[in-house]
Amino acid sequence: MTGTKLTSGTEWWRTAVIYQIYPRSFADANGDGMGDLAGISSRLPQLQELGIDAIWLSPFYTSPQRDAGYDVSDYCDVDPLFGTLDDFEVLQRTAHDLGIRVIVDIVPNHSSSDHGWFQAALAAGPGSAERARYTFRDGKGENGDLPPNNWESVFGGLAWTRTTDPDGTPGQWYLHLFDTSQPDFDWDSEWVREQFRAVLRFWLDRGVDGFRVDVAHGMIKAPGLPDYTPPAEGGSMGGAPATLEPGISAESPVTAPYWAQDGVHEIYRDWHKVLAAYPGDRVLAAEAWVDPLSQMAKWVRPDEMHQAFNFAYLETPWNAAKLRSVIDESIEAFGNVGAPSTWVLSNHDVVRHASRLALTGENLQGHGIGPKTVGLPDTAVGLQRARAASALMLSLPGSSYLYQGEELGLPEAVDLPDHAREDPTWFRTNGERYGRDGCRVPIPWEGASASFGFSTGAKSWLPQPAEWAGLARDQQNGVAGSTLELYKHALNLRREHSLASGTVEWIDGFGPDVVAYRNGAVTIVANTGAASVQLPAGDVLLASEDLVGRTLPGDATAWLRAVTA
Ligand code: NOJ
């Protein structure tokens, strides 16, 4: 089916299912073992068949790939690894013809150190206009050989690197909240602001439907760059510590001087206007690790962004009471500013939920898992919970984000050999944190082909686990009970019953392990416990596990046609 019409002026993003494509690992058309844009174009019909509304493409811009493309050296071109601007045009046209919108990533907190702007800043020296575009400072101590403050990089180690002057003597330091190769811009610079307006317009002129904004809570730093020691329990990307210190309420979390500074909002108000000048509904989606959700909601006030990833939901364990509470909190927090809630369970930075939901260890999320991790997840339990969790998520009102491969039930790749790893986290922590390679392994399309059909050749930039043959798309397509069919069915029903624009009316009485609610004409029952529960009256529309009569097993979700009294 081609030629689906995209309607404009409908605020499509409020109810959309947005599928994240990680270009390195989706499909490789030129056989070099690295995914590319032509590969993506060739597989779009399968995404239409899945029933998604939009794709979000992680960065495919010119980049030395030291952080897998989140280190951009030209914001307005395609890296030869992935193709050309013409390949992008083809991809976008193909997607639009199939009724799929296209969101691209924008990385405004930092560039690559290879970017011409940073190279010019190094060459121009201290005090120059070029240096004022990045965050350069003199070092402390007699010879300036101590870093300007104590900040640590999200990937481990110091957040500062010292430069060397052209005559070979040690020079100023520059800030990088991430890898050394990712210098932070100074957003006090009007020049920087103007460059990014131009980048937005460059892609808007090419017809993109929106942007996912990387580190959208990080661009402004507190004046004076004061020292800061994060709480041990806090997430490395920000957010409140899991256990708040005495006297600090969730409404006034400890804010790092580099996260969630008020000044970022002015930037998004400005960007909102840039997008609004274009026809159609263009969207800004924030990657802002801000806790609690009432604070994160500031990013999606009516004149700022449109959506923010709901990381609080992603981080919620498979526990009925906690799920119910985060769903309430999300709908209230985003609803208070007139924005839809989003829901997300996986992305390219976290352990895939088909493994994460069965982890028994503590504090592993975000740090990756590998062969020597204590408490490795049970694959069968993980898959069962993931299917149940996805079925619950896709029933919720608002917009849902899917990460490529979750529709196949892919687990985290745990057995990657050390020499294959590429995540800077692995290197910067000397192998102490596995990082994110395990969720970035190229996905399997055909079980019997070399590289499982990921590539037209036999290579894959990260090795694919042999067991993935059985999870390949062609092994699941049309197979009743497969995870792929479960997703397709859920997406169909979600549309048919307008669940995404519905409401949540809780139903009590199923016991402490069950999340049950009514959304319009559908009743949803998710059982997070081990004991089975009796389903209420109503035809079963969908079940993540086989039912025995009208009994829902543990770790399973069912949707029923609600019976009205
Ligand atoms: C968040 C991105 O999702 C992650 O992959 C990247 O490493 C950091 N931002 C730095 O850009």
Side-chain angles (χ1 to χ4, degrees):
M1 181 176 71
T2 52
T4 311
K5 185 109 184 70
L6 286 171
T7 44
S8 63
T10 54
E11 298 200 327
W12 59 273
W13 40 272
R14 287 186 176 273
T15 54
V17 173
I18 303 172
Y19 182 99
Q20 181 189 357
I21 292 183
Y22 193 66
R24 294 170 64 98
S25 305
F26 187 70
D28 168 27
N30 70 1
D32 65 354
M34 178 63 67
D36 47 41
L37 299 186
I40 298 172
S41 298
S42 72
R43 297 291 193 182
L44 286 173
Q46 277 112 322
L47 293 187
Q48 188 202 33
E49 212 186 298
L50 175 61
I52 51 125
D53 302 294
I55 51 174
W56 145 38
L57 298 162
S58 279
F60 49 80
Y61 314 113
T62 318
S63 159
Q65 301 287 313
R66 297 213 182 86
D67 184 23
Y70 281 95
D71 49 322
V72 181
S73 55
D74 185 344
Y75 289 89
C76 298
D77 206 349
V78 173
D79 196 284
L81 202 56
F82 302 117
T84 61
L85 275 172
D86 285 344
D87 292 328
F88 177 77
E89 300 280 358
V90 171
L91 188 164
Q92 186 173 254
R93 198 171 339 110
T94 312
H96 284 167
D97 284 350
L98 292 168
I100 297 173
R101 311 213 184 228
V102 179
I103 293 175
V104 297
D105 223 300
I106 187 163
V107 189
N109 179 68
H110 46 265
S111 70
S112 160
S113 50
D114 284 10
H115 199 297
W117 300 337
F118 189 71
Q119 288 303 316
L122 288 179
S128 62
E130 288 84 351
R131 285 227 169 166
R133 300 166 183 167
Y134 288 89
T135 313
F136 282 91
R137 291 290 183 278
D138 292 332
K140 282 189 178 158
E142 216 178 308
N143 303 311
D145 47 10
L146 297 174
N149 68 23
N150 72 346
W151 296 359
E152 283 183 15
S153 145
V154 169
F155 294 156
L158 269 186
W160 294 93
T161 292
R162 195 166 193 187
T163 60
T164 306
D165 285 337
D167 64 2
T169 56
Q172 284 191 303
W173 298 69
Y174 66 88
L175 175 68
H176 50 87
L177 290 183
F178 295 90
D179 189 51
T180 320
S181 63
Q182 293 166 297
D184 281 47
F185 285 109
D186 184 340
W187 274 84
D188 288 340
S189 155
E190 181 47 42
W191 185 90
V192 169
R193 291 179 189 234
E194 193 45 45
Q195 301 315 303
F196 274 92
R197 280 180 212 117
V199 172
L200 292 173
R201 291 189 186 113
F202 178 87
W203 292 103
L204 290 165
D205 286 341
R206 267 158 192 75
V208 302
D209 298 290
F211 301 89
R212 174 265 188 194
V213 183
D214 190 62
V215 201
H217 59 317
M219 288 131 83
I220 297 289
K221 279 78 184 179
L225 311 183
D227 275 355
Y228 174 74
T229 307
E233 304 88 348
S236 56
M237 286 285 285
T243 315
L244 294 167
E245 290 164 37
I248 298 167
S249 79
E251 287 306 316
S252 57
V254 194
T255 304
Y258 37 85
W259 298 141
Q261 299 296 307
D262 276 347
V264 293
H265 298 291
E266 180 183 309
I267 301 170
Y268 303 129
R269 285 190 198 106
D270 182 35
W271 288 15
H272 185 102
K273 289 187 209 134
V274 173
L275 267 69
Y278 283 79
D281 276 328
R282 319 279 179 128
V283 57
L284 288 167
E287 187 221 17
W289 295 80
V290 179
D291 270 344
L293 284 166
S294 56
Q295 292 294 318
M296 192 201 269
K298 288 186 177 166
W299 271 249
V300 289
R301 287 177 289 196
D303 57 349
E304 295 195 34
M305 302 219 203
H306 304 85
Q307 293 191 333
F309 294 115
N310 189 340
F311 293 123
Y313 185 72
L314 183 150
E315 288 175 333
T316 303
W318 183 233
N319 169 291
K322 290 185 175 156
L323 283 165
R324 200 169 143 153
S325 139
V326 75
I327 292 169
D328 273 340
E329 189 189 344
S330 306
I331 291 174
E332 186 186 341
F334 291 117
N336 279 344
V337 290
S341 184
T342 64
W343 314 100
V344 59
L345 289 168
S346 279
N347 65 32
H348 66 295
D349 288 330
V350 299
V351 172
R352 281 186 177 276
H353 69 281
S355 297
R356 193 180 70 238
L357 295 177
L359 275 174
T360 52
E362 295 278 320
N363 290 327
L364 291 163
Q365 191 171 299
H367 291 179
I369 55 175
K372 295 193 206 86
T373 304
V374 185
L376 279 176
D378 176 315
T379 326
V381 173
L383 179 58
Q384 188 167 339
R385 288 191 184 155
R387 290 166 56 102
S390 300
L392 172 61
M393 174 177 85
L394 291 171
S395 72
L396 290 167
S399 170
S400 281
Y401 277 83
L402 304 181
Y403 175 51
Q404 65 179 38
E406 70 168 82
E407 76 280 19
L408 305 174
L410 294 187
E412 187 82 353
V414 171
D415 288 319
L416 293 176
D418 292 354
H419 67 79
R421 293 187 183 276
E422 293 204 8
D423 187 346
T425 313
W426 169 257
F427 299 105
R428 290 182 66 86
T429 63
N430 295 320
E432 204 178 293
R433 283 160 53 182
Y434 284 101
R436 304 157 295 174
D437 291 315
C439 65
R440 298 176 173 181
V441 172
I443 62 171
W445 294 88
E446 289 128 23
S449 305
S451 72
F452 301 138
F454 155 67
S455 171
T456 50
K459 287 192 279 184
S460 141
W461 70 277
L462 279 173
Q464 299 163 297
E467 317 80 77
W468 283 17
L471 293 172
R473 189 179 189 282
D474 71 339
Q475 303 298 299
Q476 302 197 38
N477 199 29
V479 176
S482 70
T483 305
L484 180 62
E485 290 303 320
L486 176 70
Y487 270 74
K488 281 193 209 165
H489 192 37
L491 292 179
N492 256 324
L493 287 169
R494 170 188 165 94
R495 191 168 284 134
E496 183 185 330
H497 293 279
S498 305
L499 297 182
S501 48
T503 50
V504 169
E505 286 171 60
W506 295 116
I507 305 174
D508 293 318
F510 287 96
D513 290 333
V514 174
V515 180
Y517 79 98
R518 185 159 165 178
N519 182 349
V522 179
T523 297
I524 292 94
V525 183
N527 182 4
T528 67
S532 43
V533 293
Q534 202 57 29
L535 286 172
D539 295 343
V540 175
L541 300 169
L542 169 146
S544 68
E545 293 299 316
D546 287 341
L547 304 179
V548 183
R550 292 197 63 83
T551 304
L552 181 69
D555 290 336
T557 297
W559 298 6
L560 307 118
R561 201 180 296 282
V563 173
T564 10

